[in-house]
Amino acid sequence: MNILIVDDHPLFRHALIHAVRYSLPQAQIHETASVTEFYTRLEQGPEPDLVLLDLHLPGASGFSALVHVRAQYPAIPIVVVSAHEEVAVIQRALAHGAVAYIPKSAPPQHIGEALHAVLAGDTWAPPNLPMSS
């Protein structure tokens, strides 16, 4: 299991690495801090089994990194991890191809729930947010 964490905040990346290790102790975890590093890592391979992607990265605008990676690497599951908690943002991320959306304010167990759901082939969204259509 090869997981790539893409977030420009070192402290949050570190916390996310620990949360992922707790849920998936066998995973190999790699990290990048910008869109440029993210794209370079994908181009150089091997492709990760799962990507945890922050929406706000240096070199990205809105959902651009998600849309780009979804188009270039459609088989890679992408979990968005973001400070945005608006239902519209979550719905747009899922519509743009994210398989899960984890707010940065989520309790650590939600990260494990989301990762296990995604690895089982499901999607995941925060249970406490109304997902109206």
Side-chain angles (χ1 to χ4, degrees), residues 3 15 21 28 38 40 42 44 68 74-75 86 92 97 108 131:
I3 297 177
R21 277 208 179 108
Q28 289 195 9
F38 180 31
T40 299
L42 290 176
Q44 293 174 350
H68 174 80
E86 299 86 8
R92 281 189 66 200
M131 293 300 293

Side-chain angles (χ1 to χ4, degrees), residues 8-56:
D8 61 324
H9 292 96
L11 186 61
F12 191 78
R13 257 194 338 267
H14 184 72
L16 199 51
I17 287 168
H18 283 287
V20 171
R21 277 208 179 108
Y22 181 79
S23 297
L24 301 169
Q26 76 285 9
Q28 289 195 9
I29 303 170
H30 305 278
E31 55 185 294
T32 63
S34 71
V35 169
T36 305
E37 289 177 33
F38 180 31
Y39 294 168
T40 299
R41 182 172 288 271
L42 290 176
E43 289 165 8
Q44 293 174 350
E47 287 185 11
D49 297 306
L50 181 67
V51 171
L52 300 175
L53 176 67
D54 184 15
L55 287 179
H56 291 286

